Amino acid sequence: MTRLDFVTYLSHLRADSRRFRDVVADCDPAAPVPACPDRNAADLLWHLAEVQAFWGRVIAERPAGPNETWQPPSRPPDVPGLLARFDECSERLTDSLEEAAPSGTAWSWAPEQTVGFTFRRQAHEALIHRLDAEQTAGCTTPLDPDLAADGVAELMEVMYGGTPPTWSRFTPEGGLVALHLVDVDVRIKVQPGHLDGVDPADGTDVTGPHLVRVETTEDADTTIAGTAGDLDTWLWRRGDDRRIRVTGDPAARARFRAAVDQPLD
């Protein structure tokens, strides 16, 4: 319902990466990033360079995934070096994606093991860090409504929620929640609940609040409404809820908030 085609994801990835780069290049490198106070503008530039370097390698070397021989790139000592390294990493990622079939197999940390996952994930990564850069520099511009709508869906399907793994148990805890993206007329419904389990791969305890997206005609107990951009920004903790309207069952809202009560870099 919110998915974009892969050409559009790639176009957004390129455009938001360019905007990110232009804003950071003109910003005080020591300026603090509002959403990540332990990071400054130079740190933000290096962070996205590292992210794009990693995923560019994932796509270029698919279907093999990262292993102990993978070493992160070294951080250049100054802003010109950081900008040059970012340009290199960003170009490799976008060029690798342009040459790849979205349906092809590629490693990811999520259940979806396709190149298409990286198209989508990195388009949203660039969008949110573009927003970080703009907030740092004080020159915020609107989010594309269709990309932001898909960003809300991705948060519910991948970042905060998603289909529970087979080695875990999800217990619904009454109260259906609808996210109403008013400017694109999309409703995304999720079932809050509780996840119990320990990842057998590394022993990570995943017990805690969780969300599962559901396709249903059932009326929601709580509706959280706003524009796609406002909801995406709010859920990523890059903005407050002043323009978000909430109606319905307070208990269902509380369970939803518990499931999204964690920072995202």
Side-chain angles (χ1 to χ4, degrees):
M1 183 166 54
T2 64
R3 290 281 185 129
L4 308 178
D5 63 70
F6 294 107
V7 171
T8 301
Y9 282 130
L10 186 58
S11 176
H12 281 300
L13 172 57
R14 283 193 166 119
D16 285 323
S17 295
R18 283 195 302 270
R19 171 65 177 166
F20 168 87
R21 194 246 195 234
D22 291 346
V23 172
V24 174
D26 290 336
C27 189
D28 176 0
V33 179
C36 309
D38 59 336
R39 231 178 236 165
N40 60 30
D43 296 331
L44 179 65
L45 175 57
W46 179 236
H47 170 70
L48 190 55
E50 282 188 301
V51 169
Q52 294 195 348
F54 177 85
W55 289 99
R57 186 168 181 180
V58 165
I59 299 305
E61 299 185 13
R62 67 189 188 283
N67 57 53
E68 63 277 1
T69 68
W70 282 36
Q71 296 297 320
S74 58
R75 177 171 174 164
D78 54 25
V79 172
L82 287 168
L83 289 168
R85 184 64 57 81
F86 175 79
D87 292 342
E88 173 190 322
C89 297
S90 191
E91 183 177 7
R92 184 185 190 194
L93 172 61
T94 54
D95 286 353
S96 295
L97 286 171
E98 187 171 40
E99 295 169 2
S103 60
T105 301
W107 177 90
S108 83
W109 45 258
E112 182 183 349
Q113 301 282 301
T114 69
V115 173
F117 174 89
T118 301
F119 271 91
R120 188 190 196 198
R121 176 82 287 282
Q122 290 311 301
H124 292 300
E125 185 82 5
L127 172 67
I128 293 304
H129 289 317
R130 183 210 92 189
L131 179 60
D132 281 335
E134 291 177 338
Q135 290 179 341
T136 302
C139 57
T140 304
T141 59
L143 276 60
D144 177 86
D146 292 328
L147 183 62
D150 188 61
V152 174
E154 194 214 29
L155 283 160
M156 299 300 102
E157 297 165 359
V158 178
M159 305 301 286
Y160 283 128
T163 303
T166 56
W167 42 261
S168 67
R169 182 177 71 257
F170 176 71
T171 305
E173 294 182 337
L176 194 64
V177 176
L179 296 164
H180 183 197
L181 286 52
V182 297
D183 52 335
V184 293
D185 196 25
V186 168
R187 289 180 185 269
I188 297 170
K189 293 180 181 178
V190 294
Q191 174 62 66
H194 195 269
L195 191 67
D196 291 283
V198 176
D199 189 338
D202 57 13
T204 301
D205 187 347
V206 300
T207 300
H210 192 71
L211 298 168
V212 173
R213 184 174 179 180
V214 294
E215 299 295 338
T216 178
T217 57
E218 181 182 347
D219 290 339
D221 297 278
T222 290
T223 297
I224 302 173
T227 66
D230 285 341
L231 283 168
D232 199 23
T233 301
W234 172 61
L235 288 165
W236 271 97
R237 294 188 166 198
R238 266 62 178 182
D240 58 36
D241 61 356
R242 284 180 294 176
R243 293 193 292 269
I244 308 298
R245 300 182 303 281
V246 182
T247 56
D249 178 19
R253 179 195 182 190
R255 285 188 287 270
F256 175 85
R257 292 299 297 267
V260 300
D261 188 23
Q262 54 184 295
L264 296 172
D265 287 338

